Amino acid sequence: MHAEESSHSELIYGLDDKPKPLLAFCAALQHVLASFVGIITPPLVIGAALGLGEHLPYLISMALMVSGVGTFLQARRPLGIGAGMICLQGTSFAFLGAVLSAGFLVKSRGGSPEDILAMIFGVCFFGAFVQVVLSRFIGHLRRVITPLVTGIVITLIGVSLIKVGITDIGGGFKAPDFGAPGNLALGGLVLATIILLNRSRNPWVRLSSILIGLAVGSVVAFFSGKLVPQALPDLPLVSVPVPFKYGFAFDWTAFVPVALIYLISTIETVGDLTANCMIARKPFKGPEYEARLKGGVLGDGVSCLLAATFSAFPNTTFAQNNGVIQLTGVASRHVGLYIGAVLFILGLFPLIGAVLQQIPKPVLGGATLVMFGSVAAAGIRILAQARLDRRSLLVIAGSFGVGLGIAAQPTLLHQLPPIVQNLFDSAITCGGITAILLSLVLPEEKPAARTDGAAERA
């Protein structure tokens, strides 16, 4: 029996089975624990980098609430929106670079925090329609955005974000004590804790490693004086979602990088949905599979539309839930309804965001460095599965050369028009567009002709 078949045989509840409420709730909590840090970290990183501190409790609340609604839609599948499986929706790390670029663009013009958020959510709102439209043409899209292109872009995303994590380990952007030994030791402790816990044979310890690492780091920071609890702001007991709370703005130079990431995020979602189908013993070929892909990607797009409308950053289908399904043996989509409800309830209380906002930068940096490194590693893993012939290596070399080269020398484009600078000063945008163009322009190599005389003997 193959390992894959063995894992399938251990499935306790299938896709349409209904576990008892208590069991379903316990299974849902495992998913929430595995994904909670991933959902709240992007708002924390973006808020710290762009100076959005006063808005962070609300942003974190909305991130949790929208993740809950998106997860519910994916499981319930109303009007064909959703894959009809456990597809936990969470804030995507892939958009961090593009979102931060949009924020810094507004900040450089003297914009207020509200102006920054208006621009970010404006471009993300229109970008979500890219994913909605692509969901209708998912079969054709996979012929253009190949695993090679996807692997290149995901690797570039991870490599670009590592700078954010390492800056936080030092103490944060423009911190007066940047690089202090205490900051480095604290970040190193969190990093080491997460790595050691990930080597554990206990699957629940591995799933909770980032959560435990943040807790350990925060405790040590408290006793070392790096974490000084601040008085909590005067917040309402419950967060009330307000459509376009910060206004609405749009700029093409901020939009194009975001639209490109929506394109790549779509392909990433297809991979996660395919793995989910395999684990849940559902077809991963044919009409039913295609319908799930279309519904799942559409669910991602609708979730992102809701996110931009209610002040949350773009969402995507998390890969973590596939690991939890394998560990628990519970693939029932009804568990997804419980997950959605738990996340929504957590998001109701802004006090959670206010507390999490006080996590010291070096502690957060130690955790995000692992997360961002994992993004890069995931991209390398995809590349390793592609056929690495001379053409593929040329596409990789050209894309990495252009993308990382511009990231290393950002002044390279400063004599070009401002619109060109703003569009192409990102490693992700430049490298991604280069990868797509080279993949389309360079012809596929034909298999080498046989030289052993087999053709003549035939």
Side-chain angles (χ1 to χ4, degrees):
M1 182 179 285
H2 294 296
E4 184 183 297
E5 292 171 354
S6 176
S7 67
H8 286 179
S9 67
E10 295 170 5
L11 205 61
I12 301 169
Y13 289 96
L15 192 65
D16 294 308
D17 294 337
K18 288 187 177 181
K20 292 182 179 179
L22 181 60
L23 194 149
F25 178 73
C26 290
L29 279 182
Q30 298 297 340
H31 285 274
V32 172
L33 284 173
S35 61
F36 182 79
V37 174
I39 294 170
I40 65 166
T41 300
L44 287 171
V45 172
I46 293 168
L50 297 176
L52 309 175
E54 63 180 293
H55 303 293
L56 261 179
Y58 183 79
L59 295 176
I60 291 172
S61 284
M62 291 304 104
L64 289 166
M65 291 178 76
V66 170
S67 294
V69 173
T71 303
F72 190 93
L73 288 175
Q74 287 281 12
R76 189 73 179 82
R77 203 180 185 184
L79 304 174
I81 301 171
M85 300 189 293
I86 301 177
C87 298
L88 196 150
Q89 301 288 285
T91 318
S92 174
F93 284 104
F95 289 85
L96 271 186
V99 165
L100 287 173
S101 293
F104 284 126
L105 178 68
V106 178
K107 202 169 185 178
S108 68
R109 297 170 179 171
S112 66
E114 290 79 9
D115 295 331
I116 291 171
L117 290 169
M119 177 65 75
I120 289 172
F121 296 132
V123 296
C124 287
F125 180 83
F126 283 110
F129 285 103
V130 172
Q131 201 161 28
V132 171
V133 172
L134 290 176
S135 70
R136 306 298 90 190
F137 304 98
I138 201 67
H140 301 290
L141 181 66
R142 294 177 75 186
R143 298 188 187 98
V144 179
I145 310 299
T146 61
L148 182 69
V149 173
T150 305
I152 289 170
V153 175
I154 292 175
T155 304
L156 285 171
I157 289 169
V159 171
S160 300
L161 292 176
I162 284 171
K163 181 180 178 181
V164 177
I166 206 73
T167 301
D168 277 349
I169 284 181
F173 186 63
K174 291 185 178 179
D177 63 342
F178 185 81
N183 292 341
L184 301 183
L186 198 53
L189 171 67
V190 175
L191 180 64
T193 301
I194 294 171
I195 291 172
L196 287 173
L197 291 175
N198 263 285
R199 299 301 300 159
S200 170
R201 293 184 178 181
N202 186 318
W204 304 120
V205 171
R206 291 200 302 271
L207 281 171
S208 306
S209 60
I210 294 175
L211 203 59
I212 296 170
L214 286 171
V216 170
S218 297
V219 169
V220 173
F222 176 77
F223 285 108
S224 64
K226 289 286 184 182
L227 172 57
V228 180
Q230 304 293 320
L232 294 175
D234 186 19
L235 296 169
L237 179 63
V238 173
S239 284
V240 179
V242 179
F244 302 112
K245 178 181 174 74
Y246 301 104
F248 195 91
F250 183 82
D251 189 302
W252 280 103
T253 57
F255 172 75
V256 172
V258 169
L260 177 64
I261 307 303
Y262 272 113
L263 181 66
I264 299 304
S265 179
T266 300
I267 301 301
E268 224 181 328
T269 296
V270 168
D272 291 333
L273 291 173
T274 303
N276 202 324
C277 286
M278 293 171 68
I279 296 166
R281 298 190 212 167
K282 290 297 175 182
F284 45 95
K285 289 180 181 178
E288 182 184 336
Y289 168 67
E290 290 287 338
R292 288 195 188 280
L293 287 189
K294 287 184 177 181
V297 173
L298 178 59
D300 264 25
V302 170
S303 185
C304 288
L305 280 173
L306 291 172
T309 302
F310 293 103
S311 307
F313 300 108
N315 276 16
T316 190
T317 297
F318 270 16
Q320 291 98 313
N321 65 284
N322 289 334
V324 179
I325 293 170
Q326 282 186 312
L327 290 169
T328 60
V330 180
S332 169
R333 65 188 180 89
H334 298 283
V335 172
L337 306 179
Y338 284 80
I339 298 169
V342 171
L343 287 171
F344 187 87
I345 291 168
L346 286 173
L348 282 174
F349 305 106
L351 190 64
I352 294 174
V355 172
L356 294 172
Q357 185 183 349
Q358 299 194 26
I359 297 174
K361 290 287 198 321
V363 173
L364 189 64
T368 54
L369 196 65
V370 179
M371 294 179 183
F372 300 154
S374 297
V375 173
I380 293 170
R381 184 177 181 181
I382 294 171
L383 287 175
Q385 295 170 352
R387 181 169 169 248
L388 297 180
D389 52 20
R390 285 184 300 171
R391 172 186 174 274
S392 297
L393 291 174
L394 194 58
V395 173
I396 293 171
S399 305
F400 282 172
V402 172
L404 297 178
I406 286 179
Q409 189 52 265
T411 59
L412 180 71
L413 305 178
H414 279 194
Q415 294 193 37
L416 297 177
I419 188 169
V420 177
Q421 294 179 39
N422 292 326
L423 283 176
F424 297 105
D425 68 351
S426 160
I428 302 165
T429 308
C430 278
I433 291 174
T434 302
I436 292 171
L437 291 177
L438 288 177
S439 293
L440 291 173
V441 171
L442 296 179
E444 293 275 359
E445 290 188 5
K446 295 180 180 179
R450 295 180 65 179
T451 58
D452 58 0
E456 287 81 353
R457 287 196 298 273

